[in-house]
Amino acid sequence: MKKIILIYILLLAVLQLYSQNEATVLTGRITSATNGETLMGVSIAEMDQNNRVVNITISDFDGNYILKIKNPKNKLKISYIGFEAQVFAGITKKRIDVKMNENSQMLSEAVVVAKRTTNDGSFNIATREISMAMQKIDAKDFEGLSVASVDDALQGRVSGLDIVGNSGAPGSGMTMRIRGTSSITGNASPLIVVNGIPFDGDVNSGFDFSSANEEQYANLLNVNVDDIQEIVVLKDAASTSIWGSKGANGVLMITTKKGLKGKTKVQYSYRFTQAYQPNGMKMLSGDDYTMLMKQEYFNRTISDTENRELVEEFNYNPSFSEYENFNNNTDWISAVNQIGNTHDHYITISGGGDRARFRISGGYYDQTGTNIGQELTRLSTRSQLDYQVSDRLRFTSEFSYTFTDNLRNYDNLLDIAYKKMPNVGIFGQDANGNNTEAFYNIRSDSRLNASQKNLMNPVALGTLAFDRELGYRILPTFRIMYDIFNPEKTFLRYNAYISFDVNNIIRNNFLPNNVNTYAWSNSNVNRAEGTNTEKLTVMTENNITWQLPRNDKHQLMLYGAVQTSSGSANYQSFTTYGLPDMQITDPTALGYLEAESSGTSKSRSIGLISRAHYSFLDRYIVDLSYRLDGSTRFGKNNRYGSFPGVGAKWIVSDETFMKPTSNVISMLAFRPSWGVSGNQPGAEYLHFSKYVADKAGYLGLTSIHPDNLQLTDLRWETVTSTNLGTDIELFKGKINLVLDWYHKRTDDLLFSNLAISPTSGYSNILYKNVGVMDNDGWEVNVDFKEIVKQGKFTMDFNFNISNYYNRIVEMDDAVQNQYNDNANTIGNGVYLTRMQEGNSFGSIYGFRYLGVYQYSDFIEGSQDNAPVARDAGNNVMLDYEGNPKPMYFKYKSTKYAFKGGDAIYEDVNHDGSIDEFDVVYLGNSNPKFSGGFGINLRYAAFTLRSLFTFRYGSKIINMARMNAENMYTYNNQTVSTNWRWRKEGDETDVPRAVYQEGYNWLGSDRYVEDGSFMRLKYLQLNYTVPSKLIKQLGLSQLKLYSNFNNIFCLTPYSGVDPEISYGRFGAGIPGVSVDNSRTPRSIDWNFGVTVGF
Amino acid sequence: MKNILKNTALLIFFSFALTSCVDKWLDMRPDDQVVLEEYWTSAADVEAVVASCYRYMITDDYMYRLFYWGELRSDNIAMDNANTDESNLWNVNIQPDNGITRWNSFYQVINYCNTVIYYAPGVMAVDQNFKEYELRTYLSEALTIRALSYFHLLRTFGKVPLVVKPSKDDSEDFNVPQNTEKEIIDQIIADLTTAEGYARDSWATTASTKGRVTKNAVRALLSDVYLWNQEYDKCIESCDKVLNDKINEIILLETDYLYSKAFYEGNSPESIFELNFNSNLTKNNVTPNLFGNINKNISRGHLKGSASLINAYSLSYDTRLKSTLVAKYSNNKIEMTSAIFKYEGQKVPADFSKELYVFRSASSTANWILYRLPDIYLMKAEALAEIGETSNLRQAITLVNKTYTRANPEIDSLKFEDFNTAASVKKLVLEERRREFAFEGKRWYDLLRLARREGSTANAVQYILPNYSDATLITEKMAQLGAWYLPVNEAQISINRNLKQNDYYNSIYGTK
């Protein structure tokens, strides 16, 4: 290796010699000032006035160099890694010998001098001058955590950023809301910006957010957490207005790590995680279950006349041919659970010299879920190369590639496991009761109810069926930065980038024939679905920044930019069944083609941005911004949306009258701000009346029909927010306190697929602006740095809490008519969907549950707790014959008289019937408070960090419990049902078991639970091996980590996990958290090591 | 300084150049669709939307309702593997949330017709090759399909909103109230009168002649409308136009060919207007689902024939029975089952070792017949009987005999002497219509026409009673004429507050 370098250097030297005749030739020798040794490989460069390199050479092994000089007026720069560079203005001499100083101390001093700056999207301004509500998180805060995506790392760390995990399944992502929900049917997730470029999550522009599951855009999975340098969360509209139409839900700006000047560094880290699924509801054993089922049947008629013998599966009759398969006690939940292991490898190489800097990283992440059959593999790489042509011209190239292979369950295994009858076995059993190798599926001729009979064997489903999503995402970016004039004199900088985002997703799921017993022609046999989606987005930005020449009093920066984005997407999808073999899982194989579709879409937008930042005396600061957004999604009349923003800051502590207190209050500032941001509809071509051709015509004629109502006056959804903030810094940064209060109003709420009168020929209107919604809230963030310091021991403490109140202020009659009509279905298991003015989005409406009727017949004094109608004074109502009036459930033509053992619901209007007029507001899913706090302890090389997260006051509909406590179906039930009402006089709060009869599980507050929780998100112990020891090992860095995640959770919630994301339109109850027994967040521990070479 | 000025000037220039481009850049149109601004430029454009008018009549939603509205509640039907909506309707337990009351598919078709009627005349100015007669033909199709759709809505709901303009954009008010029955029927008659003048006599292919609007199709529909509106002279006049058309003659099929030609093959010589299903993409899913078809994996249909229907035929003589319901052969005797044969069955040669029928193969498609020649005979007979007078009654019997003798070749034709009162002729016509058109979506309208004409449900209700165990309850429920119509779907009322619920249902369920 050394030889090659030598030859190379010699060769260079010879080349230099060869061409020296014509021009001035400069020679010299480079030595170290410390020990006088000659330095080899030092770069000697001739540079013009703009520091563009004209000519360059390097010193040979004796430290000698020869350089041909083009122009003696040029500068000479001598630089070497680890040494201070030296510059000579004008090369007048023929020989220059240089002694170089090592520069390690110099660097640290430079940091002290410079102001800390933060990039807010377009300016790099001093952190203290920021007038907007934003919070910055450094990557160090989540170093060593093993998380698949950054939202997990951010949870509980930022005030006003409410993050809820969608599910514990690998790669399922999280739901993020910055300062509440500001959109109803639109995307309510914040905009993610990576290195200044919007990181668009939607796979195709026809992607319908209103019907999508949050899991479908676990977008952040494509950014490796280890690549992240810092994250800035923009919260108020003054800061998000520069993102205009995309910024309405707040912005998450991610900056990735860059190469640093210095020797090439190699760093490798490995983390291993083991995850356990927490215990959920305790379910009945096979024996208890069959007992319950018999009672469910008996209670229908209070006799055995309805022959329970009909269902042989409950009777343990050895003469039944399937007896052995139905005499078990299977714990289905344990059967689908497993310990999940995660291996997370990450390697990075970075370094660079004066001109060029690079950083290349690669990661391999492999996670098996806590349910069988779940596995997420991710391969990611990112490289960044900066090349500085001269002081005024710089190029940057970034490239990132992510491959994800997410193997998911075909169906929700846990949900099935909770429902599956426990007396059936996992494997088929022979006549002696021994397990065979084949999974057992209930025979199709069984007399069991179809809901149980067709429930697939979850173990078979997890083992044999799959739902795989392969994602390929490539993002090459090219940037240029050019100072039009010498920046020292006139700062006018031009920046531009062009970025490509190639996002391909291949989804394939397969249901093999041996997970059910359907006939071969059934569409659930060897069924495969495949969807390929390709999306290309091209984004560009050209901007100019001008800065007032340095001046003690005034500082002014102006910025103007043009951003464009254009995207195109297409997809193809096939569904086939009856594939010839379960090894053939591709839907393009020969089978019955059930469905086939394809589509294409395009979108374009343009944004013109202007900004100004002005500060006077460093303490009066004003920020102005204005963005004009043009989008193809609107017609001519509303094509452009304008989004202004104003922010101001007064740093009170810099005033002379505050001088006396400066020892205590080192910083005090007020930040009022106001701004507008927006949201656009999720579909293209809305302002056209489109004529669409049908696949089939009529009698050989092509059929074309108008497909939609043209939207003539669709407007942007706008979010106007006012923010009042205060920054307080006490005791020279020991205590940092940030307070914010805000009012956020969404006007012209976009509502998709609003039903209209079908006499128009259409059943809905694609989008409409329907109302006004408010979010009011406050946030507190406190940081105590080194609050305790005793020798080598220090302690930090940080705490954040936030609150918001969401309210629907105005709602179009059309929406209210559609959703608030009492004609909405009322029945078992149903909660009303309402959009009521004055209440929060995400409100829950239902009956009030008051317990269980003890007796069937009312006898004054002895049997008072019986189903009779009572008036407002709680007196029993009598009919004209003087008999007590029975209590009815009445809905449309249904009339059911309650009996002993039935659920009691509050008869709010005392009319003797439980009906739609007794439905009341039961709370909402928005938390009253949420936040987190952490304590960090350091002792020498040890660090112990902890983070607690909490939410308070959110309501959850525990649908999983409802399904497991209703005793109405064939589903397995929880052990709590053993406390059920069984005979007259029983005093209990669990109603009787009746199969398919009664109204014991109407949507009521019985299943609406408090979802408050406080959880220890992680406890992390770090050990940095002392440098002495490391050097002996030949390493530059060695760190060890160990984490314990989610090890405890304080919650009144009865379900497994109180972290439940909000429902969306078309998926659950909009805005409401509904627990459907998804995979809960796991309890896990991990171990990690980082090695630097 | 000079440099700065120059650079700024350049910048401004470029930004101006840019803004003019921006508007163009943002005016993006779909790749795989045409927008209204670019449509309606040629005859082909008109024809394609006319095709959609037909295309959306053969959708499941529309087809199901043609049957449900026209026959489900009648005495022809018994429940087999019915869904909740169907059995509630049949059981006279009709809630305003019953899905069958949704009229979306009808108004969708009406909107396409309105679109043609509104835009097609303008195409003449753009496309020189688009001739007046072509325009008239297309208009006749749109007008007729619109009239047909309204005629069904009218007979099902009584009053419905009358929309005759296409819905274009969201600035319009779609919450239109119902129009009176008179307004609707006037519109229908006016449209059909125009269409009769515009329509073609025939098309190039038999399929099109039967499957698209012709003069005779318009006349058949018009006769039906006049009969409903109790304009008997006009009805007879219109029927006669069909019967006297010697150029495009409609010919009654012979006994043996009726079911193989009319219902199995479709587009038979006796057909006047039928909806054609003829490709894999436009399968008829409705008749197999309703009537059952083993070859299509549907072992049991939603519905079956009622006991009283079987009794309406003469088991020994009426050939229609064995072709309307599935006949099985056992012990050398023919036994009738209640499974429905019409549309889904194919008769096989009488081989007594086998059953008498097979079902359509999985890929085959049955056409849905709207009008065929016997309808003209029997509509005319009904009109004649209503007018009364001996000569008319005699003529009516002659007309009834056309279908009766065809179906009963082994027995004598009906004699006037046996039905010599107007009442008995009316009854005969009604019974013959039942036998001839069972499962063709007409029986309920026949009974409702009777009730309307008599201004009382007393007689009509007698026909449906055999279907129910509790005669008193049904008589009571069906006493008001309003109960014979369907309620307006409650979801549609909650969206469109200008709609009024049918008075009868309002009195039961109250106003929302």
Side-chain angles (χ1 to χ4, degrees), chain B residues 409-433:
Chain B
E410 293 169 29
I411 50 174
D412 294 341
S413 54
L414 302 164
K415 303 256 173 348
F416 173 67
E417 289 65 38
D418 300 330
F419 302 92
N420 55 5
T421 64
S424 57
V425 175
K426 284 180 199 173
K427 197 161 188 279
L428 171 70
V429 174
L430 190 62
E431 277 170 1
E432 182 61 14
R433 281 189 65 86

Side-chain angles (χ1 to χ4, degrees), chain A residues 484-485 490 521 544 562 564-566 599-600 602-606 608 630-632 636 639-640 684-685 687-692 694-699 701-714 755-763 765 767 816-818 821-823 891-893 916, chain B residues 3-4 7 11 18 22-37 39-40 47-49 51-52 54-56 58 93 95 97 103-104 107-108 111-112 115 119 161 163 167-171 174-176 207-208 211-212 274-276 278-279 281-282 297 490 492 494-497 512:
Chain A
I484 298 167
F485 306 104
T490 313
S521 58
I544 282 216
V562 183
T564 67
S565 103
S566 61
T600 171
K602 288 190 301 185
S603 70
R604 285 180 196 149
S605 71
I606 189 161
L608 298 161
S631 164
T632 48
K636 271 218 162 79
R639 182 164 289 161
Y640 300 97
E684 289 290 339
Y685 316 125
H687 53 287
F688 290 113
S689 168
K690 289 170 290 182
Y691 278 64
V692 176
D694 290 291
K695 275 182 193 152
Y698 183 76
L699 283 172
L701 305 174
T702 310
S703 150
I704 297 175
H705 65 270
D707 197 43
N708 64 313
L709 281 168
Q710 197 170 350
L711 305 185
T712 50
D713 193 33
L714 189 68
I756 56 163
S757 175
T759 51
S760 62
Y762 300 95
S763 52
I765 189 161
Y767 270 95
Q816 297 206 47
N817 290 346
Q818 191 183 346
D821 207 300
N822 285 327
Y891 178 64
K892 293 189 176 162
S893 58
E916 61 258 48
Chain B
N3 259 337
I4 297 174
N7 280 312
L11 200 75
L18 197 73
V22 165
D23 235 35
K24 234 179 177 177
W25 196 66
L26 291 177
D27 187 29
M28 199 180 66
R29 291 175 180 201
D31 288 339
D32 48 356
Q33 293 142 356
V34 192
V35 300
L36 174 64
E37 290 78 357
Y39 203 77
W40 299 110
E47 188 189 65
V49 183
S52 285
Y54 293 104
R55 172 71 187 82
Y56 283 84
I58 58 171
N93 175 21
Q95 306 284 333
D97 67 341
W103 57 36
N104 302 35
Y107 277 100
Q108 189 180 3
N111 186 45
Y112 297 155
T115 308
Y119 288 106
V163 183
S167 304
K168 260 179 69 189
D169 60 54
D170 58 349
S171 64
F174 300 114
N175 295 333
V176 285
S208 293
R212 292 178 73 174
E274 61 187 71
L275 295 175
N276 272 249
N278 51 9
S279 86
L281 292 164
T282 54
N297 272 331
E490 65 178 11
Q492 287 164 3
S494 69
I495 295 164
N496 176 1
R497 301 288 164 127
K512 276 277 145 62

